Amino acid sequence: RERRTRERLDSPTRRDRLEVDRRSPRPAGEPIIMIMKGKTARVAWALALAFAVLTASVFLGANAKLLALDMGSDTTKIALVKPGRSPVTLVTNEMSKRKTPSKVAFNKGARLFGEAAAAIEQRYPQDVFSRIRDALGQTTSEIENKVYADTFRPYKVSEEKGKVLFEVEGGEKYSSEELTGMLLEYFAGLGSDFAESKDMLKNIAIVIPSYFGLKERIALVNAGKIAGVNILGFINTASAAALHYAKDKDFADKSEDIVFFNMGAAYTEAALVRFSSVKDPKTIGQTITKVEVVEQAFNAEVGSESFDLALTNHFADKYKADKSVDLRKSNKSMSKLKSACKKTKEVLSANTATPVNVESIYEDDDLREKITREEFEGLIDGEIQKAVQPLRDLLDKTGVEVDALAAVELIGGGSRVPAVQRQLSEVLGGRKLDRHLDGDEAAVMGAALFAANYSKSFVLKKMQLCEKFPYKLEAELVKEGEGAVKLPDLLEFNSLPGSLPIKVSNPNNEDFRLNVGYAGGEPLPPGTKDHYLASYEVSGKAEIDTAKYNVSEDTTAYLTLDVLGNLAMEAPIATGDYWESFNKTIRVVKEEADVEEEAEGEADKTDTDAGEGAEADTDVEPTGDAAAADAESGEGGSEPAGSSPEEEKEVEEEKEEEDKMPEMVEKVVTRRKRRKEVFTLKSKWLNPDDFVPGKKYIKHGAERLRNLTKADHNRRLTEEAQNKLESFILHTMSNCNDEDVEQVSTEGERDNIRSECEKAEDWLYEGGANAGLEEYVAKYDELEALWSPVALRLHEKQERPDALVRVRGKLSDYKKTLREWEEKKPWIPFEKLVNATAKCDEMVEWLDAKVKAQDKLKDHEDPVLTTKEMDAKLKLITKDVKKLQKIPKPKSAKDAEAKIEADASDKKADDKKGGEKDKDKDKGTSHEEL
């Protein structure tokens, strides 16, 4: 015991151990979150994303169906995610096509979408709007000519409050967000109809170009709010295709670098994606596929439409040279020519030459031309060089060796052009290109996997996606009375969602402002001229009690960015420390108590951490008198009975040693401890209106969209009613001349029907052409009331004979079956069999009487016996027979006999109760005798 006590006294105290731990502390004032780097930070963000996905899963419900959209400039592909053996399915539109034109039209008071809008584009090019997505987050000056006028889209474009407005038929104006919202609502409706869902599917993941910046993303979110859909997240085209590529592959023992080259209608991009495996944080010993977008490059000004325009301008110039007519002055002519050139491009991808024919391109004059693939490639050579530039930029940025690439995957319609493929192969040093994916559908199918992560209904392959934000940001510090000072570190989000610290030296504890924007000298989103994005005011550090706290000079703010493009600043923090005094009771050797007090007093003056010592002393066991007291109370260990002399001697020696141990006493001392404190400061967003539109704007846009949708629905109902009335008039007038109709109607009836139909037809093609739904329905009901008696007599004359044979046959079969059940199913109560048979006999008698009455009538008189009546009565008898058939057989013969006897007893009781006195009634009376 003495040895153990001395070991405790000689061991380092807690204060000493704390000093050892503090020899390499983090910098003073640095918040704990600042040390979350590398793997720790990735795990933290993975957990944050998992929590967000879990929250969305609970919100969406276990049986939720989701949609994924690859909303391109030209066409849109839709994928449905639903529970089942095949959770991901590509949606087809009304024409059973797998891709739908991204177009909306306003024509003759109606809205048209997709295929219907494309069908009228050549006749009404000014009323059919496409490439609306490319106007999101842009200004009129940037897109009016480059995106619309130069591509022969004769739209009237203006700008109001920083939003691009399109003027439609009738002079009404809609913003790009409102038109995009209309398309989102239409695509959601297609997916809902395909899924046979009663309610519209509103949870959608959307594929976006990699060049989309913050304002473009926010504008697309606003479009979703206007449409009433919930945008789950955005994913880049290459990232989505990479997910689709990885879904069936295993990267457990390897890592692959793959380049994805995408050429859409309006832009071109290239991305280097690394596939590997990482440990699954949710399971032990298992790995999941990691899909990391290492780097990406793009050209937002060149796409496959550039090839269409090159052909269009070529043939327009040739027509002008041949016939001295400038087709560019006619919107209809250029729309027809552009559509023909698009088909020509597609044909030349598989053929070496093709004719180009456009009927009535200008005043009934036809265009008849021919072009070879070689001529076509000569026209687009400059555009091809621009299109492959993103691949060159990507290789320069990453420094990746071409031989180290596992594959170079091509996606997008433009990548099918042979000249593009040759140029790409040349950039890669002659390397062969890969096409393991469907270039049109890979992105939307990958986006469906991305969307599936937002619901717990789907058990798909686990993958970790790391997609970086394509633009670097920077921050500048602005203090009162001082100019703006750029902070040295660039802010680069390597994965979304992400959070980056902004550390500001603020020794005077002043309030300050942080301006955040795109980094100078770095690429900007297309059409963006201003680097500035947002400003945040940070305050509250001056309110900290500096008399109590030693506050660090640094203030740390955290800038966050999520997958939807929401840029925000979390509450900034400052750190400090202070001294805390406290009393502590310790045990010391009595003779050394005074000396200990003097030593501790000196330590308080020189050692700031001395107060944390002596905690180990609290566990010192009693010695000397205390040990003796323990021994007397039975705790010191009594001498066992029958001990040997050696053991007795050893015990005596131990007691002598214990008597020599110093006496311990308790003592109260004052200690001090340094404590850390984290202060949450205030942060205010100074320009929210630049990103978050007012509630009135969203509400107004949503209300306009609802009114348009309601008007479209009423218009469709009106058109259906009009077509139904027109069809009924023509069909009825034709039937009045039929020989069968003449037999079941009088000439006066037919003349009256013809006369009323002719009046309705004249009204329909004259004054009623623009009538409302109620008028069409009323007119139809009026004519149908005249025709229905004739139609009924005709129907009965044709159907009644066969119906009589069928009904009589059924009744005969039922009676035969009921008689057989008397022997084959003795457990069926006999009285029920009798009742069912009686009902059959009653219906036979009813039929005989009705047939006699019907035979006395002429064909043009209203019938007294109809097939509807016969079927209704037969249905009741069929129901009774089926009930008897479902009576289960008893488990044994004895049970059957017992059931028969019980039924007989019940019958006797009923007879006695009803006053019947015939007790000699034969229980075995046959069915016929009864």
Side-chain angles (χ1 to χ4, degrees):
R1 186 176 297 171
E2 181 182 6
R3 177 178 53 80
R4 290 195 299 269
T5 302
R6 287 176 178 173
E7 286 175 353
R8 289 193 180 96
L9 292 174
D10 293 339
S11 65
T13 63
R14 180 172 296 180
R15 178 194 64 192
D16 298 329
R17 291 196 298 271
L18 187 60
E19 285 299 322
V20 172
D21 292 340
R22 288 182 176 178
R23 288 172 186 171
S24 57
R26 59 179 180 270
E30 182 178 355
I32 296 175
I33 197 169
M34 288 289 290
I35 64 173
M36 290 177 56
K37 299 178 181 178
K39 181 178 180 181
T40 306
R42 290 194 297 272
V43 171
W45 280 113
L47 293 175
L49 181 59
F51 175 76
V53 170
L54 177 60
T55 305
S57 300
V58 175
F59 173 74
L60 295 175
N63 297 318
K65 296 177 182 178
L66 312 174
L67 293 176
L69 300 182
D70 181 6
M71 194 173 175
S73 298
D74 185 42
T75 60
T76 294
K77 279 75 68 177
I78 311 170
L80 171 66
V81 188
K82 59 181 178 59
R85 299 192 58 167
S86 300
V88 179
T89 309
L90 200 73
V91 174
T92 55
N93 61 18
E94 310 96 329
M95 307 291 290
S96 298
K97 295 183 179 180
R98 298 168 73 87
K99 54 185 179 181
T100 303
S102 304
K103 298 177 181 180
V104 56
F106 294 79
N107 182 255
K108 297 180 180 179
R111 268 192 322 167
L112 303 173
F113 295 92
E115 299 288 351
I120 67 169
E121 186 172 19
Q122 294 183 22
R123 288 177 292 161
Y124 307 99
Q126 73 282 357
D127 295 338
V128 182
F129 298 91
S130 58
R131 288 194 67 174
I132 303 168
R133 185 203 65 185
D134 299 331
L136 294 173
Q138 301 295 316
T139 59
T140 303
S141 59
E142 291 296 326
I143 64 170
E144 185 174 11
N145 293 323
K146 184 170 25 177
V147 178
Y148 299 120
D150 294 345
T151 61
F152 310 113
R153 291 179 170 89
Y155 306 152
K156 295 180 181 179
V157 183
S158 59
E159 185 173 342
E160 183 178 334
K161 297 181 179 180
K163 299 185 184 299
V164 178
L165 300 180
F166 296 82
E167 184 176 332
V168 303
E169 182 188 58
E172 192 75 19
K173 294 183 179 181
Y174 294 96
S175 69
S176 57
E177 295 175 358
E178 289 175 312
L179 292 180
T180 304
M182 296 177 193
L183 286 173
L184 288 176
E185 183 186 45
Y186 167 67
F187 294 138
L190 286 180
S192 304
D193 293 341
F194 185 84
E196 298 180 350
S197 174
K198 295 181 180 179
D199 300 323
M200 189 173 78
L201 304 182
K202 296 185 177 182
N203 296 304
I204 302 175
I206 300 180
V207 178
I208 60 172
S210 60
Y211 62 79
F212 262 26
L214 298 184
K215 292 189 176 181
E216 292 84 352
R217 293 172 186 245
I218 294 299
L220 190 49
V221 171
N222 294 339
K225 292 178 180 179
I226 291 173
V229 300
N230 175 38
I231 298 180
L232 301 173
F234 297 134
I235 182 171
N236 292 346
T237 307
S239 304
L243 288 179
H244 184 56
Y245 177 88
K247 69 181 179 66
D248 297 325
K249 292 181 170 56
D250 183 15
F251 302 95
D253 300 322
K254 60 180 179 179
S255 173
E256 290 185 5
D257 287 350
I258 296 179
V259 168
F260 289 86
F261 180 83
N262 171 43
M263 188 172 190
Y267 68 98
T268 307
E269 61 185 357
L272 176 63
V273 182
R274 179 163 296 146
F275 299 88
S276 60
S277 61
V278 294
K279 291 182 179 180
D280 187 353
K282 297 182 179 180
T283 59
I284 300 176
Q286 294 186 8
T287 60
I288 58 175
T289 298
K290 180 181 179 181
V291 181
E292 179 185 4
V293 181
V294 179
E295 191 56 80
Q296 49 197 353
F298 57 83
N299 186 336
E301 297 182 357
V302 177
S304 61
E305 190 182 54
S306 301
F307 303 159
D308 304 343
L309 295 173
L311 278 173
T312 303
N313 285 312
H314 168 72
F315 287 117
D317 292 339
K318 196 169 184 181
Y319 191 89
K320 182 178 182 180
D322 293 343
K323 301 187 178 182
S324 300
V325 175
D326 189 0
L327 296 178
R328 294 181 180 86
K329 295 181 179 180
S330 171
N331 295 332
K332 290 184 179 180
S333 298
M334 292 308 294
S335 181
K336 289 181 179 180
L337 182 58
K338 183 180 174 183
S339 177
C341 290
K342 181 181 179 182
K343 294 178 182 177
T344 300
K345 174 196 67 178
E346 295 169 353
V347 173
L348 289 175
S349 295
N351 300 274
T352 57
T354 183
V356 182
N357 301 317
V358 184
E359 295 184 359
S360 301
I361 191 170
Y362 186 79
E363 294 183 354
D364 297 329
D365 185 47
D366 300 337
L367 183 145
R368 308 289 182 190
E369 295 288 348
K370 290 181 79 174
I371 190 170
T372 65
R373 182 190 292 179
E374 185 178 359
E375 291 174 323
F376 171 56
E377 292 177 352
L379 293 173
I380 63 173
D381 182 65
E383 303 301 320
I384 291 176
Q385 297 301 324
K386 297 177 183 177
V388 299
Q389 188 60 41
L391 179 60
R392 295 192 182 98
D393 295 341
L394 181 70
L395 296 177
D396 292 341
K397 285 181 181 180
T398 60
V400 64
E401 296 292 335
V402 175
D403 294 339
L405 296 175
V408 178
E409 294 289 343
L410 302 183
I411 53 179
S415 62
R416 294 193 185 94
V417 177
V420 174
Q421 296 180 9
R422 286 199 304 271
Q423 191 62 40
L424 289 173
S425 181
E426 183 178 329
V427 172
L428 296 169
R431 179 194 171 94
K432 182 180 178 181
L433 305 177
D434 301 277
R435 274 194 174 276
H436 297 112
L437 302 174
D438 185 321
D440 284 333
E441 301 174 2
V444 72
M445 298 301 281
L449 300 177
F450 174 72
N453 284 321
Y454 288 89
S455 175
K456 58 185 179 182
S457 299
F458 313 104
V459 182
L460 302 176
K461 180 178 179 180
K462 292 183 179 180
M463 288 184 282
Q464 181 184 22
L465 174 64
C466 295
E467 184 180 74
K468 66 189 302 182
F469 184 64
Y471 304 103
K472 296 178 181 179
L473 306 181
E474 65 181 5
E476 62 179 14
L477 175 66
V478 180
K479 294 184 178 180
E480 188 175 355
E482 301 179 14
V485 178
K486 285 188 178 181
L487 300 181
D489 297 330
L490 294 182
L491 307 172
E492 186 172 5
F493 291 92
N494 291 320
S495 183
L496 297 178
S499 177
L500 297 175
I502 303 176
K503 202 169 184 178
V504 176
S505 178
N506 188 21
N508 297 326
N509 299 340
E510 305 168 274
D511 296 345
F512 59 88
R513 187 173 80 244
L514 284 175
N515 295 333
V516 178
Y518 293 113
E522 297 289 336
L524 292 174
T528 300
K529 300 298 183 183
D530 189 2
H531 288 252
Y532 172 74
L533 288 173
S535 294
Y536 303 92
E537 185 179 66
V538 178
S539 61
K541 193 174 181 182
E543 300 174 7
I544 301 175
D545 186 0
T546 54
K548 178 180 179 181
Y549 299 101
N550 177 28
V551 183
S552 64
E553 293 184 356
D554 296 330
T555 298
T556 305
Y558 292 91
L559 192 68
T560 64
L561 180 63
D562 66 13
V563 292
L564 297 179
N566 293 309
L567 188 68
M569 180 169 289
E570 294 180 353
I573 62 171
T575 59
D577 55 58
Y578 65 98
W579 290 105
E580 181 183 61
S581 299
F582 61 96
N583 294 329
K584 192 172 185 69
T585 301
I586 61 174
R587 293 175 62 84
V588 298
V589 179
K590 184 176 181 180
E591 290 80 2
E592 300 175 358
D594 295 338
V595 179
E596 182 76 16
E597 289 180 3
E598 293 177 4
E600 289 172 356
E602 291 298 325
D604 286 341
K605 297 177 182 179
T606 59
D607 190 351
T608 60
D609 292 327
E612 295 206 27
E615 276 197 15
D617 297 348
T618 60
D619 295 330
V620 176
E621 297 182 11
T623 57
D625 295 341
D630 290 344
E632 291 177 2
S633 63
E635 296 179 0
S638 60
E639 180 180 347
S643 300
S644 63
E646 292 79 2
E647 292 175 346
E648 292 179 359
K649 183 177 180 181
E650 184 177 349
V651 171
E652 290 295 333
E653 291 176 353
E654 287 182 359
K655 288 182 178 180
E656 291 178 2
E657 290 179 358
E658 290 176 358
D659 292 339
K660 296 178 182 179
M661 292 183 69
E663 181 181 359
M664 307 296 293
V665 296
E666 292 185 350
K667 180 181 178 183
V668 178
V669 295
T670 300
R671 296 289 185 258
R672 292 199 304 167
K673 180 185 295 184
R674 186 192 297 272
R675 290 193 176 275
K676 294 281 187 179
E677 188 73 21
V678 177
F679 304 97
T680 301
L681 307 182
K682 300 175 185 177
S683 162
K684 183 181 179 181
W685 191 5
L686 299 181
N687 63 324
D689 293 340
D690 292 351
F691 285 88
V692 182
K695 292 182 179 180
K696 290 183 178 180
Y697 170 75
I698 297 295
K699 184 178 180 180
H700 177 65
E703 186 175 353
R704 295 178 79 190
L705 184 55
R706 283 195 301 270
N707 292 336
L708 287 172
T709 303
K710 185 177 179 180
D712 290 341
H713 179 68
N714 292 335
R715 178 180 54 81
R716 283 193 296 270
L717 293 178
T718 303
E719 289 177 354
E720 291 172 2
Q722 184 183 23
N723 294 334
K724 184 179 178 180
L725 175 60
E726 182 181 22
S727 176
F728 181 81
I729 291 173
L730 298 175
H731 182 71
T732 302
M733 292 178 66
S734 174
N735 285 342
C736 284
N737 299 320
D738 189 86
E739 291 182 3
D740 292 335
V741 173
E742 291 178 355
Q743 294 177 9
V744 297
S745 61
T746 64
E747 183 150 357
E749 269 185 313
R750 295 193 298 276
D751 290 343
N752 185 37
I753 292 173
R754 288 193 193 96
S755 174
E756 293 300 324
C757 285
E758 289 174 357
K759 292 178 182 178
E761 186 178 29
D762 294 340
W763 172 82
L764 184 62
Y765 295 137
E766 295 175 2
N770 297 318
L773 174 63
E774 295 78 8
E775 292 179 88
Y776 289 130
V777 173
K779 187 67 69 174
Y780 177 87
D781 291 341
E782 180 183 339
L783 296 178
E784 201 270 340
L786 295 174
W787 171 252
S788 59
V790 177
L792 175 62
R793 294 195 290 268
L794 177 62
H795 176 269
E796 292 302 324
K797 179 177 174 60
Q798 295 173 343
E799 301 296 332
R800 189 187 304 115
D802 293 338
L804 279 170
V805 174
R806 174 173 52 81
V807 171
R808 289 184 186 276
K810 279 285 186 183
L811 292 172
S812 177
D813 292 341
Y814 287 159
K815 291 170 66 177
K816 181 180 178 181
T817 300
L818 291 169
R819 284 195 299 270
E820 291 175 352
W821 284 353
E822 291 180 25
E823 295 181 1
K824 295 181 179 180
K825 297 185 178 183
W827 59 86
I828 299 178
F830 183 69
E831 289 72 13
K832 292 185 178 181
L833 295 174
V834 172
N835 290 336
T837 304
K839 289 181 179 179
C840 292
D841 292 335
E842 289 174 3
M843 184 169 179
V844 171
E845 294 176 1
W846 176 81
L847 280 175
D848 293 340
K850 286 289 186 179
V851 169
K852 288 180 181 179
Q854 182 65 45
D855 291 342
K856 295 178 181 179
L857 298 176
K858 295 181 180 180
D859 290 342
H860 64 269
E861 295 179 325
D862 292 336
V864 295
L865 176 62
T866 64
T867 56
K868 185 176 181 181
E869 287 180 292
M870 290 188 285
D871 289 337
K873 285 183 172 292
L874 182 63
K875 184 177 181 181
L876 295 176
I877 293 176
T878 302
K879 185 177 180 182
D880 291 340
V881 174
K882 287 184 176 180
K883 283 184 179 180
L884 296 177
Q885 187 181 18
K886 292 180 180 179
I887 295 177
K889 182 180 179 181
K891 296 181 180 179
S892 65
K894 292 182 179 180
D895 294 338
E897 293 175 0
K899 181 173 178 58
I900 293 172
E901 292 177 0
D903 291 340
S905 299
D906 293 341
K907 182 66 171 62
K908 287 182 179 180
D910 293 340
D911 291 344
K912 185 177 180 180
K913 184 177 180 181
E916 296 180 5
K917 300 180 179 180
D918 188 8
K919 298 183 179 180
D920 297 328
K921 187 175 180 180
D922 185 6
K923 297 180 183 178
T925 304
S926 67
H927 180 274
E928 290 80 359
E929 291 171 340
L930 185 60

